Amino acid sequence: MASWLPRLFPQYALRAEDVLNERIRLESISTAIGAIGIMLIAYVTYLIFPADIPRVRYMGYWLTSQLLANSCWLVFIAHHTRYKLQRTRHLWPYLSSMICSFNGFIWGAGWVFFVGDATIEHAHAAVTFTIILGGVFTGGVLATIFHLPSLVSFMFCSLLPALVGTFIDDGIFHVWFGVTIIVYMLACTAFALNLHHFLMETLAQREEKSWLAQQLETEKHKAEQANQEKSRFLAAISHDLRQPLQALQFFQQSLRETCSATHQAQHILGGVEASVTALNGLLNAMLDVAQLDAGQHPIRRSSFPLNTLLRRIHQQYTSLAEEAGIRLHYISTSLHIDSDPMLLERIVQNLVHNAIKHMGRPGRILLGGRRQAGFVRIEIHDNGVGIPLQEQESVFQEFYQLHNPERNRSHGLGLGLAIVKRLTAALEHNIGLRSLPGKGCTFSIHVPLANELPDSPAPTPLLLTEPPVRHGTVLIIEDDEQVMESLQTLLHLWGYEVLLSQQPEPETLLAEHPELNFIISDYQLGGEKNGIELIQQFRQLAGWKIPALLITGNTSADLSEKLSKLSIPVSYKPINPALLKKHLILLTKET
């Protein structure tokens, strides 16, 4: 089978082995049914055959030979089905052809031996055996249809004796029966061969589809593994790259606060600060793009008021817009939307920041939302220099900047709109752009409309007891010495007392420093515990919710989902020193 299948079906040559295995499986079922059927029919024939037919006494031997041969074949099928040995598979086509040839010959010879020379007195017996032979022949063709040698051998062995017998014996059938057999044999052969080729081609196609499905599943598994490995790599490289950059930012801020106010010193510091800011922006943007491509941003949809988002963005960017000579406004709305508030805010932030950077002249930016058939279209209008029609698709590509051929870093990196495109795709929101040169731009995001719900007030932190009086003592838990040293230097300049530890013992440290009033902890520490566990231990032992800030360079989706369920503020490295100072002030005031 393995040798001739590729020649019959060269398009499936690579799958010949699988087709052979499946063909044997199907043939084992059909020939087993055929063997059982032949034995039953032979036994019934033995019982009903007239006793006055010449040579009828030999019918017992005829029946016994069939019972023995087909019983052996059934035992062989059962053995192969159970153990699937290479040896039995190799013997299969030969034994199959032999048993089919035997069955065909024993029935063809039985017709010649028992009724081929029958006279008119035994016409009913001859007709009966002939009808039974036709049924056995048809059933045998169907049983052997999957194996061409077995099929051909059965057909010829069953009909050839009868054909020869009609031209030799002077029975009641004579030549006309021989001619009928020839026509019947040719018709059955053509039908059987056509059905065989059709079934084998269908079988090959089915096996090919099964193989392709397995290959697809294998490749999918490999892709999922590669994606998981990429996620772990991104988390590791994110943490390792952000650590030195975080230390650099803290040292740079410390240097600015202690350096002399000479023009040259301020100029050098300005250059250092610009380089650090550019590096920070590039790192964050590239890691964001990589994470979005890897599908690492978890989507947390909820219903919330659009006005809250617009107001917050207006507050964040008003001062930056004023520095560029731009008036930033928003239109209040009572609409509620259904989206991920954090990711949607990042989209609008990027679009507003992009508009401020690329206005090209003093002007006006307007934020608002329009209701549209179950959706809200959030729009960001500006009256800047605009974007030519032929460039409007290109601006969403990575590192593409329309009005910055010299790659001036102060004009951005060309990743803002690429991140916007990925975020809107992740949220299944449509983004649109309308613009004319000299007339400004309008970016729009289509967000599903939600039922209007009253704003829920933020939960008030529950204190276990009244907090003690603050004395400005901050505990830094950090396993990176550069980050710890730079942060210690900066906090000292801000007037805080600083405690340093890589793996603190909360009970011992609180006993020695009961005046502790703030904790800054890295999440990923070198020991068995992480920053979250240590902060929770400190709070439990102190008996009140000590203000704390968790900082981390790990931006994996699993960690993000875990942190979202906690009441501990989180900031990702590299954190801006000014933002850190705000955290210290705000969190201390809250408690």
Side-chain angles (χ1 to χ4, degrees):
M1 176 68 178
S3 61
W4 61 262
L5 180 63
R7 294 198 298 273
L8 284 178
F9 308 109
Q11 67 270 39
Y12 300 114
L14 294 177
R15 308 305 312 140
E17 198 69 15
D18 289 338
V19 173
L20 173 62
N21 292 332
E22 182 64 9
R23 193 271 300 166
I24 289 177
R25 187 187 72 83
L26 294 173
E27 186 187 352
S28 67
I29 297 173
S30 61
T31 55
I33 295 173
I36 295 172
I38 280 180
M39 289 190 292
L40 291 175
I41 293 172
Y43 183 70
V44 171
T45 303
Y46 172 78
L47 293 177
I48 67 172
F49 212 68
D52 58 344
I53 294 291
R55 296 188 293 271
V56 72
R57 62 186 178 277
Y58 297 109
M59 186 164 280
Y61 300 107
W62 175 81
L63 173 63
T64 303
S65 64
Q66 293 190 69
L67 294 177
L68 288 174
N70 286 289
S71 296
C72 292
W73 176 242
L74 290 175
V75 170
F76 177 79
I77 290 176
H79 180 76
H80 176 77
T81 303
R82 181 175 181 180
Y83 297 105
K84 293 183 173 58
L85 299 177
Q86 185 67 25
R87 184 190 52 191
T88 57
R89 197 188 74 162
H90 177 72
L91 291 173
W92 185 284
Y94 305 105
L95 294 179
S96 175
S97 299
M98 289 172 59
I99 193 66
C100 291
S101 300
F102 173 81
N103 280 323
F105 180 78
I106 201 71
W107 277 92
W111 185 90
V112 173
F113 194 70
F114 297 121
V115 300
D117 58 351
T119 60
I120 193 67
E121 291 80 9
H122 301 105
H124 65 286
V127 171
T128 300
F129 198 99
T130 303
I131 293 174
I132 293 174
L133 176 62
V136 169
F137 177 83
T138 305
V141 168
L142 296 176
T144 59
I145 199 70
F146 291 102
H147 188 213
L148 190 59
S150 299
L151 171 64
V152 173
S153 62
F154 176 81
M155 289 173 57
F156 280 94
C157 287
S158 58
L159 292 181
L160 193 60
L163 177 63
V164 173
T166 56
F167 291 101
I168 296 176
D169 295 327
D170 293 330
I172 60 174
F173 294 98
H174 300 292
V175 178
W176 66 267
F177 184 67
V179 174
T180 304
I181 291 178
I182 291 174
V183 174
Y184 182 63
M185 180 183 293
L186 292 175
C188 284
T189 301
F191 169 78
L193 290 177
N194 182 61
L195 181 60
H196 170 78
H197 288 298
F198 171 76
L199 289 177
M200 290 306 298
E201 185 173 355
T202 302
L203 177 61
Q205 289 177 349
R206 192 184 74 177
E207 288 302 303
E208 189 72 14
K209 290 179 180 178
S210 176
W211 179 79
L212 289 174
Q214 292 175 1
Q215 290 296 104
L216 180 62
E217 187 65 27
T218 301
E219 293 302 319
K220 179 184 176 184
H221 181 66
K222 288 180 180 179
E224 289 175 349
Q225 282 188 323
N227 191 43
Q228 291 173 358
E229 291 173 2
K230 180 181 177 182
S231 300
R232 288 192 292 269
F233 172 76
L234 282 173
I237 198 67
S238 171
H239 181 269
D240 293 342
L241 285 176
R242 291 172 193 270
Q243 290 287 79
L245 187 56
Q246 178 67 86
L248 181 60
Q249 278 196 304
F250 287 156
F251 278 130
Q252 172 252 317
Q253 183 64 28
S254 301
L255 187 60
R256 173 172 289 281
E257 297 193 11
T258 59
C259 188
S260 61
T262 64
H263 176 72
Q264 185 178 8
Q266 292 300 320
H267 176 72
I268 294 172
L269 278 172
V272 172
E273 186 173 350
S275 299
V276 171
T277 301
L279 178 59
N280 186 20
L282 178 62
L283 174 64
N284 286 330
M286 291 182 68
L287 288 173
D288 279 344
V289 170
Q291 285 183 303
L292 287 167
D293 287 342
Q296 291 186 17
H297 274 285
I299 308 298
R300 302 183 183 90
R301 296 183 180 275
S302 62
S303 299
F304 60 95
L306 174 59
N307 201 64
T308 302
L309 184 148
L310 298 179
R311 182 174 64 249
R312 187 161 53 243
I313 291 176
H314 178 264
Q315 293 170 349
Q316 292 172 358
Y317 286 96
T318 295
S319 59
L320 182 63
E322 288 176 352
E323 290 176 6
I326 297 170
R327 301 186 307 278
L328 177 62
H329 301 282
Y330 79 97
I331 300 175
S332 296
T333 176
S334 61
L335 297 175
H336 283 60
I337 53 178
D338 181 19
S339 182
D340 184 311
M342 184 179 297
L343 296 185
L344 183 60
E345 185 169 337
R346 286 191 60 189
I347 293 172
V348 181
Q349 283 175 340
N350 279 354
L351 292 174
V352 171
H353 195 203
N354 191 72
I356 294 173
K357 286 189 299 183
H358 300 292
M359 281 277 287
R361 60 193 180 192
R364 184 170 180 262
I365 298 175
L366 180 64
L367 309 178
R370 299 174 186 267
R371 185 197 294 262
Q372 282 190 338
F375 287 84
V376 176
R377 192 174 71 191
I378 303 173
E379 297 183 347
I380 299 93
H381 300 269
D382 71 67
N383 58 352
V385 295
I387 301 173
L389 182 61
Q390 66 273 17
E391 304 286 348
Q392 290 182 12
E393 289 190 10
S394 301
V395 295
F396 290 98
Q397 298 175 2
E398 296 87 349
F399 300 106
Y400 185 88
Q401 290 180 295
L402 181 60
H403 301 298
N404 190 19
E406 69 279 8
R407 304 299 298 173
N408 187 341
R409 287 196 302 269
S410 64
H411 294 166
L413 302 166
L415 288 171
L417 292 181
I419 293 173
V420 165
K421 184 176 180 180
R422 284 167 168 79
L423 285 173
T424 52
L427 292 171
E428 299 180 350
H429 298 339
N430 293 327
I431 184 168
L433 168 61
R434 301 193 312 273
S435 180
L436 290 173
K439 301 293 185 181
C441 299
T442 299
F443 285 90
S444 59
I445 309 109
H446 287 73
V447 183
L449 185 66
N451 295 326
E452 296 186 5
L453 300 171
D455 295 351
S456 337
T460 304
L462 179 62
L463 302 181
L464 302 178
T465 64
E466 288 298 320
V469 179
R470 305 279 186 250
H471 297 292
T473 302
V474 179
L475 170 63
I476 300 174
I477 307 174
E478 174 64 66
D479 63 343
D480 189 288
E481 293 185 1
Q482 282 191 327
V483 174
M484 187 163 56
E485 183 183 349
S486 60
L487 183 53
Q488 178 189 23
T489 302
L490 187 59
L491 291 175
H492 276 158
L493 291 172
W494 289 343
Y496 289 93
E497 293 182 17
V498 179
L499 302 175
L500 302 177
S501 180
Q502 292 186 351
Q503 279 291 332
E505 289 295 333
E507 189 171 356
T508 303
L509 195 143
L510 282 173
E512 295 175 356
H513 302 278
E515 74 282 3
L516 180 65
N517 79 322
F518 203 95
I519 300 173
I520 299 176
S521 177
D522 189 12
Y523 171 75
Q524 223 167 294
L525 302 171
E528 297 179 355
K529 295 180 181 178
N530 57 49
I532 296 174
E533 294 172 352
L534 286 172
I535 290 172
Q536 290 173 336
Q537 284 185 18
F538 273 106
R539 288 178 170 180
Q540 185 175 4
L541 290 171
W544 64 284
K545 189 173 272 187
I546 302 174
L549 175 65
L550 190 73
I551 58 176
T552 180
N554 188 337
T555 58
S556 66
D558 292 340
L559 180 59
S560 298
E561 188 170 355
K562 181 178 180 180
L563 295 177
S564 67
K565 301 175 182 178
L566 301 172
S567 60
I568 301 174
V570 181
S571 188
Y572 289 96
K573 295 178 181 178
I575 181 174
N576 186 286
L579 183 60
L580 175 62
K581 196 169 188 178
K582 286 182 180 179
H583 273 299
L584 286 167
I585 295 171
L586 290 174
L587 290 174
T588 304
K589 283 182 178 179
E590 286 180 5
T591 55

